[in-house]
Amino acid sequence: MFKHIPFERVEWITFFFLFGTLAASLTVVPWYLFTHGVDWFQFGLFFFYCCATGLSITLGYHRLFSHISFKAKWPVRLFVTLFGAAAFENSVFDWCSDHRRHHKHVDHDDDPYNINNGFFYAHMGWLLFKLKPEPPQDNINDLRKDPMLVWQHKYVHLIALFMSFILPAAIGYLYNGGQGAMTAFLLSGVLRVVVVQHATFFINSACHYVGNQPYSTKHSARDSWLMAIFTFGEGYHNYHHEFQHDYRNGVKPWQFDPTKWSIWVLSKVGLTSNLRTVSDAKILLAELTEARRRIQNGLEPYQQRPDMREQLTHGVQVTLDRLHEAQEELATCYYQVEKSVRDRVELSKSKVNEWRRELKESLEHLDQLPGLKPIAI
Ligand SMILES: [Zn+2]
Ligand SMILES: [Zn+2]
Protein backbone atom coordinates (compact mmCIF):
# COMPACT_ATOMS: atom_id res chain seq x y z
CA MET A 1 0.00 0.00 0.00
CA PHE A 2 2.82 2.43 0.88
CA LYS A 3 5.33 1.23 -1.70
CA HIS A 4 4.72 4.18 -4.04
CA ILE A 5 5.42 6.75 -1.34
CA PRO A 6 9.03 8.06 -1.68
CA PHE A 7 9.87 7.77 2.05
CA GLU A 8 13.48 8.85 1.45
CA ARG A 9 12.15 12.24 0.35
CA VAL A 10 9.71 12.84 3.22
CA GLU A 11 10.38 16.01 5.19
CA TRP A 12 9.72 14.54 8.63
CA ILE A 13 10.02 17.76 10.66
CA THR A 14 7.55 19.50 8.34
CA PHE A 15 5.32 16.42 8.43
CA PHE A 16 5.15 16.30 12.26
CA PHE A 17 4.74 20.06 12.55
CA LEU A 18 1.87 20.28 10.02
CA PHE A 19 -0.04 17.25 11.29
CA GLY A 20 0.90 17.78 14.97
CA THR A 21 -0.49 21.33 15.06
CA LEU A 22 -3.54 20.21 13.07
CA ALA A 23 -4.23 17.31 15.47
CA ALA A 24 -3.77 19.58 18.51
CA SER A 25 -6.15 22.16 16.99
CA LEU A 26 -8.84 19.52 16.66
CA THR A 27 -8.39 18.00 20.14
CA VAL A 28 -6.37 19.74 22.88
CA VAL A 29 -7.21 23.32 21.84
CA PRO A 30 -11.04 23.00 21.85
CA TRP A 31 -10.92 20.83 25.02
CA TYR A 32 -8.79 23.41 26.90
CA LEU A 33 -10.83 26.39 25.74
CA PHE A 34 -14.06 24.62 26.59
CA THR A 35 -12.96 23.58 30.10
CA HIS A 36 -11.08 26.77 31.04
CA GLY A 37 -13.10 29.38 29.15
CA VAL A 38 -11.92 32.16 26.87
CA ASP A 39 -12.55 35.90 27.02
CA TRP A 40 -12.59 38.84 24.61
CA PHE A 41 -8.97 39.76 25.26
CA GLN A 42 -7.85 36.30 24.11
CA PHE A 43 -10.16 36.48 21.08
CA GLY A 44 -8.75 39.92 20.27
CA LEU A 45 -5.18 38.61 20.48
CA PHE A 46 -6.12 35.67 18.24
CA PHE A 47 -7.70 38.03 15.70
CA PHE A 48 -4.67 40.34 15.75
CA TYR A 49 -2.30 37.40 15.28
CA CYS A 50 -4.36 35.99 12.38
CA CYS A 51 -4.30 39.36 10.59
CA ALA A 52 -0.66 40.16 11.41
CA THR A 53 0.75 36.83 10.23
CA GLY A 54 -1.70 36.37 7.33
CA LEU A 55 -1.09 39.85 5.95
CA SER A 56 2.66 39.46 6.44
CA ILE A 57 2.47 36.58 3.97
CA THR A 58 0.10 38.19 1.45
CA LEU A 59 1.27 41.81 1.71
CA GLY A 60 4.89 41.09 2.63
CA TYR A 61 6.16 37.77 1.31
CA HIS A 62 3.86 37.82 -1.72
CA ARG A 63 3.10 41.28 -3.10
CA LEU A 64 6.12 43.17 -1.66
CA PHE A 65 9.02 40.71 -1.83
CA SER A 66 8.00 38.22 -4.55
CA HIS A 67 6.47 40.68 -7.00
CA ILE A 68 7.92 44.05 -5.89
CA SER A 69 4.49 45.53 -6.63
CA PHE A 70 5.18 48.49 -4.29
CA LYS A 71 7.92 49.92 -2.09
CA ALA A 72 7.79 49.87 1.71
CA LYS A 73 9.64 51.72 4.47
CA TRP A 74 11.63 49.74 7.04
CA PRO A 75 8.92 49.57 9.77
CA VAL A 76 6.63 47.72 7.31
CA ARG A 77 9.48 45.51 6.10
CA LEU A 78 10.48 44.66 9.68
CA PHE A 79 6.88 43.90 10.68
CA VAL A 80 6.27 41.51 7.78
CA THR A 81 9.68 39.91 8.22
CA LEU A 82 8.98 39.12 11.91
CA PHE A 83 5.29 38.16 11.65
CA GLY A 84 5.83 36.42 8.30
CA ALA A 85 8.32 34.10 10.02
CA ALA A 86 5.60 33.42 12.64
CA ALA A 87 3.41 31.91 9.90
CA PHE A 88 5.93 29.03 9.69
CA GLU A 89 6.21 29.19 5.90
CA ASN A 90 10.02 29.42 5.88
CA SER A 91 12.10 32.48 5.11
CA VAL A 92 11.36 35.21 2.56
CA PHE A 93 14.16 33.78 0.38
CA ASP A 94 12.68 30.25 0.31
CA TRP A 95 9.10 31.46 -0.14
CA CYS A 96 9.82 33.98 -2.90
CA SER A 97 12.10 31.66 -4.85
CA ASP A 98 9.35 29.00 -4.95
CA HIS A 99 6.70 31.58 -5.77
CA ARG A 100 8.63 33.17 -8.63
CA ARG A 101 9.14 29.69 -10.11
CA HIS A 102 5.38 29.08 -9.68
CA HIS A 103 4.58 32.12 -11.84
CA LYS A 104 7.25 31.34 -14.43
CA HIS A 105 6.31 27.68 -14.89
CA VAL A 106 2.66 27.67 -13.78
CA ASP A 107 0.90 24.31 -14.41
CA HIS A 108 4.14 22.69 -15.63
CA ASP A 109 6.70 20.33 -14.11
CA ASP A 110 8.95 23.09 -12.77
CA ASP A 111 6.04 24.72 -10.92
CA PRO A 112 6.76 23.76 -7.27
CA TYR A 113 3.04 23.52 -6.45
CA ASN A 114 1.76 22.37 -9.83
CA ILE A 115 -2.03 21.96 -9.58
CA ASN A 116 -1.91 19.20 -12.21
CA ASN A 117 -0.39 16.98 -9.51
CA GLY A 118 -3.68 17.20 -7.61
CA PHE A 119 -5.35 19.43 -5.01
CA PHE A 120 -3.57 17.92 -1.99
CA TYR A 121 -0.15 18.17 -3.64
CA ALA A 122 -0.66 21.86 -4.50
CA HIS A 123 -2.09 22.56 -1.02
CA MET A 124 0.55 20.96 1.22
CA GLY A 125 1.83 17.73 -0.37
CA TRP A 126 4.68 19.58 -2.09
CA LEU A 127 5.99 20.64 1.33
CA LEU A 128 6.09 17.06 2.61
CA PHE A 129 8.34 15.68 -0.14
CA LYS A 130 11.61 17.42 -0.75
CA LEU A 131 12.78 17.60 -4.37
CA LYS A 132 16.22 16.08 -4.93
CA PRO A 133 18.31 17.79 -6.09
CA GLU A 134 16.66 20.97 -4.83
CA PRO A 135 16.31 23.61 -7.57
CA PRO A 136 18.84 26.46 -7.24
CA GLN A 137 17.59 29.71 -5.73
CA ASP A 138 18.98 31.77 -8.59
CA ASN A 139 15.89 33.97 -9.01
CA ILE A 140 16.12 36.07 -5.82
CA ASN A 141 19.44 37.90 -6.24
CA ASP A 142 17.63 41.23 -5.78
CA LEU A 143 16.37 40.13 -2.35
CA ARG A 144 19.78 38.90 -1.20
CA LYS A 145 20.98 42.53 -1.13
CA ASP A 146 18.61 43.31 1.77
CA PRO A 147 20.45 42.76 5.11
CA MET A 148 17.14 42.42 6.99
CA LEU A 149 16.15 39.49 4.78
CA VAL A 150 19.61 37.90 5.07
CA TRP A 151 19.24 38.09 8.86
CA GLN A 152 15.74 36.62 8.73
CA HIS A 153 16.89 33.72 6.53
CA LYS A 154 19.69 32.90 8.98
CA TYR A 155 17.54 32.87 12.13
CA VAL A 156 14.11 32.13 10.68
CA HIS A 157 13.32 29.16 12.95
CA LEU A 158 14.29 31.02 16.13
CA ILE A 159 12.33 34.11 15.05
CA ALA A 160 9.35 31.90 14.19
CA LEU A 161 9.37 30.14 17.57
CA PHE A 162 9.65 33.40 19.47
CA MET A 163 7.07 35.39 17.46
CA SER A 164 4.62 32.53 17.08
CA PHE A 165 4.56 30.85 20.49
CA ILE A 166 6.70 32.59 23.12
CA LEU A 167 5.47 36.15 22.52
CA PRO A 168 1.69 35.37 22.62
CA ALA A 169 2.23 33.14 25.68
CA ALA A 170 4.13 35.98 27.40
CA ILE A 171 1.33 38.46 26.57
CA GLY A 172 -1.21 35.96 27.92
CA TYR A 173 0.86 35.53 31.10
CA LEU A 174 0.99 39.27 31.72
CA TYR A 175 -2.77 39.40 31.26
CA ASN A 176 -3.83 36.42 33.38
CA GLY A 177 -0.93 34.37 34.75
CA GLY A 178 -0.38 30.70 33.85
CA GLN A 179 -3.88 30.11 32.50
CA GLY A 180 -3.69 33.22 30.34
CA ALA A 181 -0.33 32.03 28.96
CA MET A 182 -1.69 28.57 28.12
CA THR A 183 -4.84 29.97 26.45
CA ALA A 184 -2.81 32.42 24.34
CA PHE A 185 -0.29 29.70 23.44
CA LEU A 186 -3.03 27.35 22.23
CA LEU A 187 -5.31 29.94 20.60
CA SER A 188 -2.97 32.63 19.18
CA GLY A 189 -0.10 30.17 18.77
CA VAL A 190 -1.17 26.66 17.74
CA LEU A 191 -4.69 27.21 16.32
CA ARG A 192 -3.71 30.45 14.59
CA VAL A 193 -0.71 28.77 12.87
CA VAL A 194 -3.05 26.11 11.46
CA VAL A 195 -5.72 28.62 10.36
CA VAL A 196 -3.26 30.98 8.64
CA GLN A 197 -1.24 28.18 7.04
CA HIS A 198 -4.27 26.57 5.45
CA ALA A 199 -5.72 29.95 4.44
CA THR A 200 -2.50 30.78 2.59
CA PHE A 201 -2.09 27.20 1.26
CA PHE A 202 -5.50 27.68 -0.37
CA ILE A 203 -3.89 30.25 -2.70
CA ASN A 204 -1.88 27.45 -4.32
CA SER A 205 -4.65 24.86 -4.30
CA ALA A 206 -8.24 26.17 -4.27
CA CYS A 207 -7.35 29.39 -6.14
CA HIS A 208 -6.31 27.18 -9.07
CA TYR A 209 -9.54 25.18 -8.75
CA VAL A 210 -12.51 27.28 -7.64
CA GLY A 211 -13.98 30.24 -9.56
CA ASN A 212 -13.90 31.68 -13.06
CA GLN A 213 -11.34 33.02 -15.48
CA PRO A 214 -12.34 36.53 -16.59
CA TYR A 215 -8.85 37.63 -17.66
CA SER A 216 -7.12 34.59 -19.13
CA THR A 217 -7.47 30.88 -19.81
CA LYS A 218 -3.78 30.41 -20.53
CA HIS A 219 -3.29 29.13 -16.96
CA SER A 220 -5.35 27.38 -14.29
CA ALA A 221 -5.60 30.35 -11.88
CA ARG A 222 -9.13 31.45 -11.01
CA ASP A 223 -11.03 34.38 -9.51
CA SER A 224 -13.37 33.65 -6.60
CA TRP A 225 -14.90 36.03 -4.04
CA LEU A 226 -15.34 33.08 -1.66
CA MET A 227 -11.65 32.21 -1.76
CA ALA A 228 -10.82 35.92 -1.40
CA ILE A 229 -12.54 35.86 2.01
CA PHE A 230 -10.33 32.97 3.18
CA THR A 231 -7.10 34.32 1.70
CA PHE A 232 -6.96 38.03 2.63
CA GLY A 233 -7.99 38.98 -0.92
CA GLU A 234 -5.71 36.65 -2.85
CA GLY A 235 -8.70 34.74 -4.23
CA TYR A 236 -8.69 36.93 -7.34
CA HIS A 237 -5.92 34.74 -8.58
CA ASN A 238 -6.78 34.76 -12.30
CA TYR A 239 -6.19 38.52 -12.37
CA HIS A 240 -3.04 38.10 -10.31
CA HIS A 241 -1.49 35.53 -12.66
CA GLU A 242 -2.30 37.70 -15.67
CA PHE A 243 -1.00 40.93 -14.12
CA GLN A 244 1.37 39.78 -11.39
CA HIS A 245 3.07 43.16 -10.78
CA ASP A 246 -0.19 44.94 -9.90
CA TYR A 247 -0.42 45.56 -6.14
CA ARG A 248 -4.13 44.74 -6.36
CA ASN A 249 -5.53 41.23 -6.76
CA GLY A 250 -9.18 42.25 -6.44
CA VAL A 251 -8.92 45.00 -9.03
CA LYS A 252 -12.57 46.13 -8.94
CA PRO A 253 -13.44 48.63 -6.18
CA TRP A 254 -16.07 46.30 -4.68
CA GLN A 255 -13.88 43.21 -4.54
CA PHE A 256 -12.80 41.98 -1.08
CA ASP A 257 -9.05 42.52 -0.94
CA PRO A 258 -7.87 43.57 2.55
CA THR A 259 -4.25 43.22 1.42
CA LYS A 260 -4.83 45.85 -1.29
CA TRP A 261 -6.63 48.12 1.19
CA SER A 262 -3.77 47.80 3.71
CA ILE A 263 -1.13 48.70 1.10
CA TRP A 264 -3.23 51.69 0.00
CA VAL A 265 -3.83 52.94 3.58
CA LEU A 266 -0.10 52.56 4.37
CA SER A 267 0.69 54.63 1.27
CA LYS A 268 -1.51 57.45 2.62
CA VAL A 269 0.63 57.66 5.79
CA GLY A 270 3.87 57.47 3.81
CA LEU A 271 4.88 53.92 4.76
CA THR A 272 4.44 52.47 1.27
CA SER A 273 4.93 54.06 -2.16
CA ASN A 274 5.27 53.35 -5.90
CA LEU A 275 2.10 51.22 -5.96
CA ARG A 276 2.18 49.52 -9.37
CA THR A 277 -1.04 49.16 -11.35
CA VAL A 278 -2.02 47.96 -14.81
CA SER A 279 -3.89 50.46 -17.01
CA ASP A 280 -7.69 50.15 -17.26
CA ALA A 281 -7.39 49.77 -21.05
CA LYS A 282 -5.14 46.75 -20.77
CA ILE A 283 -7.46 45.13 -18.19
CA LEU A 284 -10.54 45.79 -20.35
CA LEU A 285 -8.76 44.34 -23.36
CA ALA A 286 -8.07 41.10 -21.50
CA GLU A 287 -11.69 40.97 -20.29
CA LEU A 288 -13.07 41.54 -23.81
CA THR A 289 -10.86 38.85 -25.30
CA GLU A 290 -12.05 36.34 -22.70
CA ALA A 291 -15.71 37.42 -23.04
CA ARG A 292 -15.57 36.87 -26.82
CA ARG A 293 -13.93 33.49 -26.36
CA ARG A 294 -16.62 32.42 -23.87
CA ILE A 295 -19.46 33.56 -26.16
CA GLN A 296 -17.92 31.84 -29.16
CA ASN A 297 -17.50 28.58 -27.19
CA GLY A 298 -21.12 28.83 -26.05
CA LEU A 299 -22.34 29.35 -29.62
CA GLU A 300 -20.41 26.48 -31.13
CA PRO A 301 -23.02 23.73 -30.58
CA TYR A 302 -25.74 25.93 -32.17
CA GLN A 303 -23.64 26.73 -35.20
CA GLN A 304 -23.82 23.06 -36.18
CA ARG A 305 -27.64 23.26 -36.39
CA PRO A 306 -28.94 24.59 -39.77
CA ASP A 307 -32.18 25.91 -38.18
CA MET A 308 -30.19 28.05 -35.73
CA ARG A 309 -27.50 29.26 -38.10
CA GLU A 310 -29.76 31.89 -39.67
CA GLN A 311 -30.83 33.32 -36.31
CA LEU A 312 -27.25 33.40 -35.14
CA THR A 313 -26.06 35.26 -38.21
CA HIS A 314 -28.63 38.02 -37.77
CA GLY A 315 -28.73 38.04 -34.00
CA VAL A 316 -25.87 37.11 -31.77
CA GLN A 317 -23.21 37.18 -34.47
CA VAL A 318 -23.89 40.88 -35.13
CA THR A 319 -23.36 41.68 -31.46
CA LEU A 320 -20.30 39.50 -31.40
CA ASP A 321 -18.86 41.32 -34.40
CA ARG A 322 -19.55 44.63 -32.69
CA LEU A 323 -17.74 43.38 -29.62
CA HIS A 324 -14.84 42.37 -31.82
CA GLU A 325 -14.79 45.83 -33.41
CA ALA A 326 -14.79 47.50 -29.99
CA GLN A 327 -11.95 45.28 -28.93
CA GLU A 328 -9.90 46.05 -32.05
CA GLU A 329 -10.50 49.76 -31.55
CA LEU A 330 -9.45 49.60 -27.93
CA ALA A 331 -6.35 47.60 -28.82
CA THR A 332 -5.38 50.14 -31.49
CA CYS A 333 -5.90 53.07 -29.09
CA TYR A 334 -3.99 51.32 -26.33
CA TYR A 335 -0.98 50.46 -28.48
CA GLN A 336 -1.00 53.93 -30.02
CA VAL A 337 -0.85 55.47 -26.53
CA GLU A 338 1.85 53.03 -25.53
CA LYS A 339 3.79 53.78 -28.70
CA SER A 340 3.56 57.52 -28.20
CA VAL A 341 4.86 57.13 -24.62
CA ARG A 342 7.69 54.96 -25.93
CA ASP A 343 8.47 57.55 -28.62
CA ARG A 344 8.62 60.32 -26.02
CA VAL A 345 10.96 58.28 -23.83
CA GLU A 346 13.22 57.63 -26.85
CA LEU A 347 13.18 61.35 -27.68
CA SER A 348 14.14 62.27 -24.10
CA LYS A 349 16.90 59.69 -24.13
CA SER A 350 18.39 61.05 -27.36
CA LYS A 351 18.19 64.62 -25.97
CA VAL A 352 19.99 63.57 -22.78
CA ASN A 353 22.68 61.86 -24.88
CA GLU A 354 23.07 64.98 -26.98
CA TRP A 355 23.50 67.16 -23.86
CA ARG A 356 25.95 64.67 -22.43
CA ARG A 357 28.01 64.83 -25.64
CA GLU A 358 28.00 68.64 -25.58
CA LEU A 359 29.01 68.64 -21.93
CA LYS A 360 31.87 66.26 -22.65
CA GLU A 361 33.13 68.47 -25.46
CA SER A 362 33.02 71.56 -23.21
CA LEU A 363 34.90 69.71 -20.48
CA GLU A 364 37.52 68.55 -22.96
CA HIS A 365 37.91 72.16 -23.99
CA LEU A 366 38.38 73.12 -20.33
CA ASP A 367 40.98 70.38 -19.87
CA GLN A 368 43.15 72.08 -22.44
CA LEU A 369 43.37 75.21 -20.29
CA PRO A 370 46.52 75.26 -18.18
CA GLY A 371 46.19 74.71 -14.40
CA LEU A 372 42.89 72.84 -14.44
CA LYS A 373 42.50 69.19 -13.43
CA PRO A 374 40.51 66.92 -15.84
CA ILE A 375 36.85 66.56 -14.83
CA ALA A 376 35.29 63.15 -15.33
CA ILE A 377 31.60 62.69 -16.16
ZN1 LIG B 1 -0.94 30.63 -8.50
ZN1 LIG C 1 2.04 35.71 -7.05
Side-chain angles (χ1 to χ4, degrees):
M1 180 186 173
F2 297 114
K3 76 172 188 252
H4 296 302
I5 298 177
F7 281 107
E8 72 284 358
R9 277 176 37 203
V10 173
E11 286 280 288
W12 289 109
I13 296 175
T14 308
F15 178 88
F16 285 118
F17 185 84
L18 288 176
F19 286 102
T21 49
L22 180 63
S25 298
L26 296 172
T27 54
V28 179
V29 177
W31 169 79
Y32 190 88
L33 298 183
F34 191 71
T35 51
H36 291 77
V38 57
D39 60 19
W40 286 107
F41 176 82
Q42 293 285 1
F43 269 128
L45 189 63
F46 173 71
F47 182 74
F48 166 78
Y49 250 87
C50 280
C51 294
T53 54
L55 283 172
S56 290
I57 294 294
T58 61
L59 181 151
Y61 276 41
H62 188 209
R63 301 193 201 181
L64 174 62
F65 294 128
S66 293
H67 295 296
I68 326 277
S69 63
F70 61 98
K71 284 184 180 166
K73 292 260 172 70
W74 72 265
V76 176
R77 302 167 76 85
L78 182 64
F79 186 93
V80 298
T81 302
L82 293 176
F83 281 96
F88 277 96
E89 297 189 16
N90 281 328
S91 66
V92 169
F93 286 173
D94 293 331
W95 203 102
C96 294
S97 178
D98 284 335
H99 192 71
R100 287 178 180 181
R101 276 195 295 126
H102 168 62
H103 275 271
K104 192 172 176 189
H105 305 287
V106 63
D107 303 330
H108 292 92
D109 286 349
D110 288 336
D111 175 356
Y113 17 92
N114 182 1
I115 194 69
N116 294 322
N117 292 336
F119 187 95
F120 179 77
Y121 180 86
H123 190 70
M124 61 193 284
W126 69 281
L127 287 163
L128 302 175
F129 300 98
K130 201 172 193 157
L131 290 176
K132 283 184 181 167
E134 279 187 76
Q137 293 190 338
D138 52 4
N139 54 356
I140 49 161
N141 289 340
D142 55 326
L143 302 177
R144 287 187 197 282
K145 290 176 196 150
D146 187 334
M148 197 189 283
L149 300 185
V150 174
W151 169 79
Q152 194 234 29
H153 185 67
K154 196 168 172 188
Y155 300 107
V156 68
H157 299 304
L158 284 176
I159 301 168
L161 280 173
F162 178 79
M163 294 301 295
S164 197
F165 297 123
I166 298 170
L167 185 61
I171 295 170
Y173 183 80
L174 290 176
Y175 173 65
N176 191 23
Q179 191 186 323
M182 185 52 96
T183 307
F185 171 78
L186 291 174
L187 193 62
S188 300
V190 180
L191 181 65
R192 185 267 318 158
V193 163
V194 174
V195 169
V196 169
Q197 278 194 332
H198 287 279
T200 45
F201 291 169
F202 270 144
I203 304 164
N204 303 331
S205 55
C207 293
H208 282 263
Y209 236 90
V210 182
N212 48 26
Q213 297 175 292
Y215 302 98
S216 175
T217 42
K218 292 197 285 283
H219 44 73
S220 60
R222 283 158 190 274
D223 268 24
S224 158
W225 62 266
L226 185 65
M227 290 322 303
I229 293 172
F230 289 113
T231 57
F232 299 89
E234 307 261 285
Y236 301 104
H237 207 51
N238 187 255
Y239 180 82
H240 174 60
H241 266 269
E242 201 52 24
F243 305 112
Q244 58 170 301
H245 297 298
D246 196 316
Y247 85 97
R248 309 160 296 182
N249 278 16
V251 70
K252 310 288 184 205
W254 61 86
Q255 288 178 330
F256 182 82
D257 187 353
T259 306
K260 169 186 76 174
W261 299 330
S262 306
I263 297 167
W264 185 83
V265 168
L266 288 170
S267 77
K268 294 297 155 197
V269 292
L271 285 171
T272 59
S273 60
N274 296 63
L275 277 51
R276 292 166 75 180
T277 55
V278 171
S279 72
D280 289 348
K282 205 168 178 180
I283 298 167
L284 187 59
L285 208 54
E287 283 177 296
L288 279 174
T289 308
E290 278 313 307
R292 268 190 67 224
R293 193 194 55 75
R294 274 198 304 277
I295 295 168
Q296 245 148 4
N297 284 354
L299 288 179
E300 235 166 50
Y302 299 106
Q303 272 157 345
Q304 314 299 329
R305 290 170 48 177
D307 57 320
M308 295 293 288
R309 209 177 288 148
E310 182 74 2
Q311 286 176 6
L312 282 176
T313 316
H314 293 107
V316 189
Q317 195 59 49
V318 176
T319 319
L320 207 59
D321 289 345
R322 254 191 236 133
L323 193 63
H324 181 63
E325 263 170 47
Q327 188 191 350
E328 293 279 292
E329 206 178 296
L330 183 66
T332 317
C333 289
Y334 176 71
Y335 290 112
Q336 268 172 2
V337 169
E338 211 184 36
K339 192 179 172 308
S340 81
V341 171
R342 253 201 325 264
D343 289 348
R344 286 190 77 118
V345 171
E346 284 306 313
L347 191 71
S348 311
K349 263 196 222 160
S350 68
K351 269 192 182 157
V352 169
N353 284 338
E354 203 178 305
W355 293 335
R356 192 174 280 162
R357 207 168 34 246
E358 279 175 25
L359 189 64
K360 205 173 165 205
E361 278 168 17
S362 314
L363 287 174
E364 275 166 5
H365 181 68
L366 267 183
D367 287 347
Q368 288 161 9
L369 296 176
L372 266 179
K373 281 184 186 167
I375 302 167
I377 55 164

